[in-house]
Amino acid sequence: MIRILSRLAIVAMLAGATAACMPSGAVEQQLAGSPASAPVAVSPAAAAAAISAYRAEHGLPPVTVSARLVEAARDQADAMARADRLSHSVSGDLTRRMGRAGYEWMAVAENIAAGQRNLQEAMDGWIMSPAHRANLLNEHVTEIGIATAFNASSQYRVYWALILAAPR
């Protein structure tokens, strides 16, 4: 029963985080200058280190990289770039996407962004957004996957997807 309630709480948190990700919200306002003009490579290991450092400042344990979460994040970033739309649901509901990725989760959350030119800009935007910051500081998550995708004809050009989770 507790596990089910934890899952419901995470899904409810995701619903609240979705509103914070919309282009008209804080993410767009955090961009300094114009969006990236070329693809942005992101190292999952560097992202895990940055997220772990931020979590350590708040007394939380580090996260590690999950290959399955990286693939799921890549699929989401690619789908957003293809659709030219910042959306948590562009490639389906997060819980269903985790199932397609073969990831059995106890806790799962997602941060998305668009237009940031590097990992630091993406992290800064997420940290400044209360819902995204809550995902970064979720005490239950232990693994991450992160990816970017590029669409040269898009308003934002670079789309970011970060999935934070704990396996069951």
Side-chain angles (χ1 to χ4, degrees), residues 69-91:
L69 293 179
V70 170
E71 279 303 311
R74 183 173 296 117
D75 289 347
Q76 176 66 9
D78 287 345
M80 289 189 298
R82 276 192 311 275
D84 190 13
R85 189 173 65 151
L86 184 65
S87 167
H88 284 283
S89 60
V90 72
S91 66

Side-chain angles (χ1 to χ4, degrees), residues 76-85 90 148-151 153-154 157-159:
Q76 176 66 9
D78 287 345
M80 289 189 298
R82 276 192 311 275
D84 190 13
R85 189 173 65 151
V90 72
T148 60
F150 186 74
N151 177 345
S153 62
S154 163
R157 298 191 185 109
V158 176
Y159 291 83

Side-chain angles (χ1 to χ4, degrees), residues 78-147:
D78 287 345
M80 289 189 298
R82 276 192 311 275
D84 190 13
R85 189 173 65 151
L86 184 65
S87 167
H88 284 283
S89 60
V90 72
S91 66
D93 173 78
L94 177 60
T95 58
R96 289 192 180 149
R97 288 188 277 129
M98 292 299 91
R100 285 194 312 258
Y103 190 92
E104 293 189 26
W105 54 275
M106 183 176 67
V108 64
E110 178 176 64
N111 286 358
I112 58 175
Q116 289 77 4
R117 297 169 293 191
N118 55 52
L119 177 61
Q120 188 60 58
E121 283 185 11
M123 285 291 297
D124 289 347
W126 290 328
I127 288 169
M128 293 188 69
S129 161
H132 293 101
R133 183 174 49 253
N135 288 343
L136 293 170
L137 298 176
N138 182 324
E139 66 185 23
H140 302 291
V141 302
T142 58
E143 299 179 334
I144 64 129
I146 190 168

